[in-house]
Amino acid sequence: MPHRVDASHVPADYRHASVLLDGAIDALIHDPEGVYLDGTFGRGGHSRAILARLNPRGRLLAIDRDPQALAEARAMEDQRFSIHADTFGHLGDIARAQGVHGRLAGVLLDIGVSSPQLDDPERGFSFLRDGPLDMRMDPGSGESAAQWLSHASESDIAWVFKTYGEERFARRMARAIVERRRQAPITRTGDLAELLKAAHPAWEKGRHPATRAFQALRIHVNRELEELDAALEAALEALAPGGHLVVISFHSLEDRRVKRFIRHHVRGDTHLPRGMPLREDQLERRLETLGKARRPGEEEVLRNPRARSAVMRAARKID
């Protein structure tokens, strides 16, 4: 029978915000004395739940690049826990530095933006409240969305909107941005949202016309898909034989990458000539799935509408 996370160990603010909390922890924890890694600390909901399931010999490493998340993590008082300021794409380097590479019992990746990031207008992730057009997970590193839009070519902007946002009117929106910046720089989320809304000819019911473009900008600015690809490869190498990989994604682009990665390593080497006779041990299978993909239930979606697009996939590294 699946273990339910003891609510007394997890503060309500974190318990409610963490998507698929019980399912993720059930899929991740199989050895209470193991060393685990939470690649996306956020505000610590999953990390706190993991620690609640570990015994005194267990250990948890966590990673985040958001300054507010790092401050939250550093306030935690648990000798089994350590936080590391970096991107989850570098989790392999962190595991090596901590002497646990190839020994991790489990890796959890909760991809996407946290609610505090979305709700803070100063971070520039959302168009619901006007703020600086930043969108960086780490505001002290790299270009902001405003800086990139100030010099990117029309074709590059259109490519980002089309590729990362699956926006039908990407070229039209990109043209509007380039024409507008000739008059004045676009530095506020509200200004960009209004500009994109005016450039969008076919609004979807129940969706702001700037939604896909904002999502695409965030993914591009933070190199989210490249980081995800790097994290998946690094996690596979850092896990111990029998270790569990659990990934929660919130967008089809992310989930397709996770699904393709797991499927490739479940099937083994698929680049060999068709019909070549092989023994089972020659296929180089490295993963086996842990059940089917899981989505939030109706109750969780009602409690947290941002959970509605979440998909969780889990796999075990083969011995």
Side-chain angles (χ1 to χ4, degrees):
M1 185 176 184
H3 180 95
R4 307 301 290 178
V5 173
D6 183 349
S8 66
H9 291 283
V10 186
D13 290 347
Y14 303 102
R15 187 170 66 249
H16 290 171
S18 297
V19 176
L20 288 164
L21 180 62
D22 289 315
I25 304 309
D26 287 339
L28 182 72
I29 304 296
H30 60 98
D31 176 7
E33 296 185 358
V35 182
Y36 293 84
L37 187 146
D38 181 353
T40 45
F41 179 82
R43 291 304 181 268
H46 286 115
S47 281
R48 287 177 170 85
I50 291 168
L51 289 167
R53 294 279 292 272
L54 300 184
N55 68 23
R57 296 190 189 89
R59 184 179 171 196
L60 175 63
L61 315 178
I63 304 171
D64 214 296
R65 53 177 157 169
D66 183 287
Q68 294 172 358
L70 292 170
E72 183 75 39
R74 287 166 181 152
M76 289 177 60
E77 297 181 359
D78 193 319
Q79 294 184 347
R80 302 169 299 168
F81 174 79
S82 62
I83 182 67
H84 305 270
D86 210 328
T87 63
F88 57 56
H90 294 153
L91 70 86
D93 296 333
I94 292 169
R96 287 187 186 89
Q98 295 297 308
V100 294
H101 193 265
R103 294 172 46 206
L104 292 176
V107 172
L108 171 66
L109 302 174
D110 182 6
I111 313 302
V113 186
S114 69
S115 290
Q117 288 171 325
L118 286 170
D119 293 338
D120 182 356
E122 293 302 308
R123 301 301 301 274
F125 285 106
S126 174
F127 48 77
L128 297 178
R129 300 181 184 88
D130 183 50
L133 185 58
D134 194 309
M135 294 193 182
R136 289 172 293 178
M137 299 287 188
D138 176 1
S141 177
E143 278 190 314
S144 69
Q147 289 170 328
W148 184 73
L149 287 177
S150 72
H151 66 77
S153 68
E154 180 178 322
S155 60
D156 283 348
I157 297 171
W159 185 89
V160 166
F161 288 175
K162 179 69 173 177
T163 305
Y164 296 150
E166 299 178 307
E167 173 56 62
R168 290 172 55 204
F169 302 101
R171 190 167 296 281
R172 183 169 179 158
M173 290 174 144
R175 189 179 309 120
I177 288 171
V178 171
E179 290 174 356
R180 164 64 186 278
R181 78 186 185 195
R182 293 193 185 109
Q183 305 167 21
I186 305 166
T187 61
R188 307 288 296 183
T189 58
D191 290 342
L192 179 60
E194 288 302 310
L195 176 65
L196 295 175
K197 184 167 71 172
H200 201 296
W203 297 9
E204 298 176 57
K205 185 177 180 181
R207 184 192 290 265
H208 191 288
T211 300
R212 295 180 185 275
F214 263 69
Q215 170 190 279
L217 267 177
R218 188 204 81 217
I219 290 173
H220 173 72
V221 165
N222 295 290
R223 300 183 70 252
E224 291 180 33
L225 297 182
E226 293 92 337
E227 288 292 337
L228 175 58
D229 288 343
L232 291 171
E233 294 289 350
L236 182 57
E237 299 305 323
L239 283 168
H244 291 193
L245 172 65
V246 179
V247 186
I248 302 170
S249 56
F250 292 81
H251 186 271
S252 59
L253 290 177
E254 299 161 346
D255 183 54
R256 282 201 293 268
R257 273 173 152 77
V258 177
K259 181 180 180 180
R260 184 168 61 240
F261 176 84
I262 292 176
R263 182 174 57 194
H264 171 75
H265 289 289
V266 166
R267 290 179 175 176
D269 191 345
T270 57
H271 300 293
L272 296 170
R274 183 184 296 274
M276 177 178 287
L278 291 170
R279 299 192 310 272
E280 188 75 13
D281 61 351
Q282 292 177 307
L283 289 173
E284 296 185 3
R285 294 190 175 110
R286 304 195 68 190
L287 292 172
E288 60 184 4
T289 56
L290 293 172
K292 296 180 179 179
R294 180 169 175 176
R295 296 180 180 273
E298 183 178 348
E299 181 182 342
E300 180 170 6
V301 172
L302 287 173
R303 189 173 67 242
N304 179 12
R306 287 174 178 162
R308 65 184 177 275
S309 61
V311 181
M312 185 188 83
R313 297 184 186 274
R316 177 189 294 113
K317 184 174 179 178
I318 295 174
D319 296 348

